Amino acid sequence: MIETPYLLFLGDAPDQLAAKVAQGIKDWRPENAVGQFRLPGCGADVGLKDLSLAEAQAAGAKTLVIGVANRGGYISAAWKAVLIEALEMGFDLASGLHNLLRDEGDLVAAAQTHGGTVHDVRVPTVWYPIANGEKRTGKRCLAVGTDCSVGKMYTALAMDAEMQKRGMNTSFRATGQTGILITGQGVPLDAVIADFMAGAVEYLTPNNDDDHWDHIEGQGSLFHVSYSGVTMALLHGGQPDALILAHEPTRNHMRGLPGYDLPSLEELRDTALPLARVSNPACQVVGVSVNTQHLSDDEALSYLAEVEARMGIPAVDPFRQGAARLVDALATL
Amino acid sequence: MIETPYLLFLGDAPDQLAAKVAQGIKDWRPENAVGQFRLPGCGADVGLKDLSLAEAQAAGAKTLVIGVANRGGYISAAWKAVLIEALEMGFDLASGLHNLLRDEGDLVAAAQTHGGTVHDVRVPTVWYPIANGEKRTGKRCLAVGTDCSVGKMYTALAMDAEMQKRGMNTSFRATGQTGILITGQGVPLDAVIADFMAGAVEYLTPNNDDDHWDHIEGQGSLFHVSYSGVTMALLHGGQPDALILAHEPTRNHMRGLPGYDLPSLEELRDTALPLARVSNPACQVVGVSVNTQHLSDDEALSYLAEVEARMGIPAVDPFRQGAARLVDALATL
């Protein structure tokens, strides 16, 4: 668990997109961030107050979170100077970068000297158990996609936020580094050893109140040959009561796999639901979440209406329309 | 790759079952073993000549293979003495034990001093790529099970052996520690990091001659919630042309999961085949392999006849009947 609140390090991000982790924290857990820290030339701004390390510490910040992708796959001297100063002042560090902070000797030395913790959220810190398949109390919702990167995390965060707004009993359960940095905890599922994947999902979504919903962050796709095993572990470890079908309608082929067509929403439903029912026979497909960012308003509305009529369940773009109708659909379970 | 031939270390195995790795090597790759090494009180005998380390070395043995499970999860002083002597004499060591040889300081020191290699086959030694899904040349066969431990490895080894006997172009592709020790190479798939599982299977089964068959060792089951992600990676990384359905008809529930019923062979077929066709649209289910060890001869024959009539494809127990009819079934592809 990463200590909150954070100061968000944007560094010298070339553009807004490079700071999507920081933006995600600002959008979904604004109470977790006291401000942003930018270096000269930074091209990103997530709309928080620019604070120095000292100002952030005075405002209560416990952890400096790397909220930006790094260029060239190494940690520059300009970044390093800030990170070491932060450790010297008593901050912890948290990062989802591919190159690990723990591999940087000077950062490790500074953390040891000053008693700080360095979190590399891409690396599991727990020995997860092998899944036991025992039925757990509480409810769970999982988005499964026709492809990778179609909005599964966004859907889960939006449903969790809508439930919070309604005063319902809800948790977002992160399974990837962005989600883990947003909420301060979770399981980096794609870095877990094969035998323990489903057990890690069970660990992440334990017994809970009967009216509590876990919104489990989805990963990969049953139809994406590179990552389908991870998706399968989510279906079987997560014991979902509800599935949301997630789709991006303008893809020409599966992400990164030019020879592979996307499945239809019907194929996704008819594949995912029987598999989900192995671990939870009561599972239902309750809605469709469409990422319509590449469609105009009119195109989006007409596409959503067509899908909803065809599939017989609510079809919404939670970014454009909010997740209210998806949350409503859970009420029947 | 582990250097052959081996001397098989049976240690103080309490019974024959404890030596199943050694037995597997003797049964499937007898040319890989010059003899067996037993300690006083050993209750196992795989039917090879008892050799001292010196005799085995004179007979050409390069590697001492731990062919037995250890008691209590630690490596005893009696074992250690033999393993160190073997390293001092220039042997390599190979082990599939849960506790790793590389974690034993005295073994590592002896290996370094004498230039030997210590193989812990449960641990990947390769950085596998992420699967790219590109269609590969050559043919591949994969057994998928209604449950774990129903005879998938045996089926693949038996089909490979039958093809070898016929002079066909064939390889057994090991995905677990027993298979790796039998053949001296493979991928310990259950120990691979989630994101790289399917890529590891692609790596294991590369482009090959048009008439070459890979018999890929199956793992887990699509219906076993603890390990289904690994099975999925085999289906999508393996691009099988042929699936064999593997079953053990006397199970009351899924192995280790008291609350879970086994699927029918029809359910297995109807689940596995569409998933396999994501990566290989030409895939066919060609046969059923039944482990009838808990049935009498009459019961076995009548069960196999019933399954064959019901499923419309050959149903055999390769242990009792050989794998000839399963190999014949591949000829149609």
Side-chain angles (χ1 to χ4, degrees), chain A residues 21-315:
Chain A
V21 168
Q23 190 67 52
I25 295 167
K26 157 66 164 41
D27 289 346
W28 297 107
R29 293 291 184 275
E31 70 276 18
N32 281 357
V34 302
Q36 64 187 18
F37 183 101
R38 303 193 292 169
L39 288 169
C42 182
D45 180 351
V46 301
L48 291 171
K49 227 189 298 186
D50 285 296
L51 298 181
S52 68
L53 292 173
E55 289 166 338
Q57 193 160 48
K62 304 290 188 199
T63 304
L64 182 68
V65 171
I66 315 258
V68 56
N70 57 339
R71 286 189 265 204
Y74 69 97
I75 295 169
S76 69
W79 284 31
K80 196 65 86 55
V82 178
L83 303 186
I84 288 177
E85 192 186 343
L87 286 167
E88 287 169 351
M89 291 172 65
F91 281 89
D92 290 342
L93 300 182
S95 160
L97 300 177
H98 272 289
N99 46 337
L100 304 181
L101 299 186
R102 70 177 65 174
D103 292 340
E104 304 289 324
D106 44 3
L107 293 183
V108 172
Q112 275 168 350
T113 304
H114 300 281
T117 301
V118 169
H119 300 277
D120 285 301
V121 303
R122 278 186 191 269
V123 183
T125 54
V126 170
W127 288 100
Y128 301 111
I130 287 177
N132 64 28
E134 287 171 21
K135 177 67 183 162
R136 305 193 292 289
T137 52
K139 301 277 193 187
R140 287 161 197 85
C141 180
L142 174 69
V144 289
T146 51
D147 193 2
C148 298
S149 308
V150 292
K152 296 184 299 293
M153 182 181 80
Y154 192 98
T155 302
L157 283 163
M159 291 179 73
D160 175 59
E162 174 68 20
M163 282 199 172
Q164 284 184 42
K165 208 174 75 183
R166 297 185 190 185
M168 296 173 74
N169 196 357
T170 177
S171 303
F172 170 76
R173 300 299 191 185
T175 63
Q177 63 272 7
T178 306
I180 294 171
L181 289 173
I182 289 174
T183 58
Q185 56 192 310
V187 166
L189 192 57
D190 60 11
V192 171
I193 287 175
D195 250 3
F196 304 97
M197 293 185 297
V201 181
E202 291 187 347
Y203 169 93
L204 181 68
T205 61
N207 282 320
N208 216 316
D209 304 335
D210 287 343
D211 69 345
H212 178 273
W213 279 92
D214 277 330
H215 297 281
I216 307 172
E217 180 187 354
Q219 295 291 340
S221 164
L222 293 171
F223 293 85
H224 196 293
V225 297
S226 309
Y227 308 115
S228 53
V230 181
T231 314
M232 186 69 138
L234 279 161
L235 271 178
H236 281 171
Q239 298 182 354
D241 299 273
L243 295 179
I244 306 283
L245 307 179
H247 185 53
E248 202 282 77
T250 68
R251 295 267 167 93
N252 293 317
H253 58 73
M254 298 293 285
R255 189 176 165 90
L257 303 176
Y260 288 79
D261 292 336
L262 270 72
S264 66
L265 285 163
E266 287 87 342
E267 282 175 278
L268 174 61
R269 175 193 65 200
D270 296 344
T271 301
L273 186 58
L275 291 170
R277 286 183 172 167
V278 170
S279 64
N280 186 348
C283 186
Q284 301 283 348
V285 174
V286 300
V288 183
S289 175
V290 183
N291 176 346
T292 64
Q293 66 176 313
H294 299 301
L295 303 182
S296 69
D297 283 352
D298 282 355
E299 288 169 337
L301 286 176
S302 113
Y303 182 80
L304 289 165
E306 184 272 314
V307 168
E308 182 156 327
R310 181 156 57 88
M311 302 294 291
I313 45 179

Side-chain angles (χ1 to χ4, degrees), chain B residues 25-297:
Chain B
I25 295 168
K26 156 67 164 42
D27 289 346
W28 297 107
R29 293 290 185 276
E31 71 277 16
N32 281 358
V34 301
Q36 64 186 19
F37 183 101
R38 302 194 292 168
L39 288 169
C42 183
D45 180 352
V46 302
L48 291 171
K49 226 189 300 187
D50 285 295
L51 297 182
S52 69
L53 293 173
E55 290 166 339
Q57 194 161 46
K62 303 290 188 200
T63 304
L64 182 68
V65 171
I66 315 260
V68 56
N70 57 339
R71 286 189 266 204
Y74 70 96
I75 294 169
S76 69
W79 284 31
K80 196 65 85 60
V82 179
L83 303 186
I84 288 177
E85 193 186 341
L87 286 167
E88 286 169 352
M89 290 172 65
F91 281 89
D92 290 342
L93 301 182
S95 159
L97 300 177
H98 272 289
N99 45 336
L100 304 181
L101 300 186
R102 71 178 64 175
D103 290 341
E104 305 289 324
D106 43 5
L107 293 182
V108 172
Q112 275 168 350
T113 304
H114 300 280
T117 301
V118 169
H119 299 277
D120 286 301
V121 302
R122 278 186 190 268
V123 182
T125 54
V126 170
W127 288 100
Y128 301 111
I130 287 177
N132 64 28
E134 286 170 21
K135 177 68 184 160
R136 306 194 291 289
T137 52
K139 300 277 194 186
R140 286 159 197 88
C141 180
L142 174 69
V144 290
T146 51
D147 193 2
C148 299
S149 308
V150 293
K152 296 183 300 293
M153 183 182 79
Y154 192 98
T155 303
L157 283 163
M159 292 179 72
D160 175 58
E162 174 69 19
M163 282 198 172
Q164 285 185 41
K165 208 173 77 182
R166 298 186 190 185
M168 297 172 71
N169 196 356
T170 176
S171 303
F172 170 76
R173 300 299 191 183
T175 62
Q177 64 270 8
T178 305
I180 294 171
L181 289 173
I182 289 174
T183 57
Q185 55 192 311
V187 166
L189 191 58
D190 60 11
V192 171
I193 286 175
D195 251 3
F196 305 96
M197 294 185 298
V201 181
E202 291 187 348
Y203 170 93
L204 180 69
T205 61
N207 282 320
N208 215 316
D209 304 334
D210 286 343
D211 68 346
H212 178 273
W213 279 92
D214 277 330
H215 297 281
I216 307 171
E217 181 188 353
Q219 294 292 339
S221 164
L222 293 171
F223 293 85
H224 195 295
V225 297
S226 309
Y227 308 116
S228 53
V230 181
T231 314
M232 186 70 139
L234 279 160
L235 272 178
H236 282 170
Q239 298 183 355
D241 300 273
L243 295 179
I244 307 283
L245 309 179
H247 185 52
E248 202 281 79
T250 68
R251 295 267 167 94
N252 292 317
H253 58 73
M254 298 293 284
R255 188 175 165 89
L257 303 175
Y260 287 78
D261 293 335
L262 271 72
S264 67
L265 285 163
E266 288 88 341
E267 282 175 278
L268 174 61
R269 175 194 64 200
D270 296 345
T271 301
L273 186 57
L275 290 171
R277 286 182 172 167
V278 170
S279 64
N280 186 348
C283 186
Q284 300 284 349
V285 174
V286 299
V288 183
S289 176
V290 183
N291 176 346
T292 64
Q293 66 175 314
H294 299 301
L295 303 181
S296 70
D297 282 353

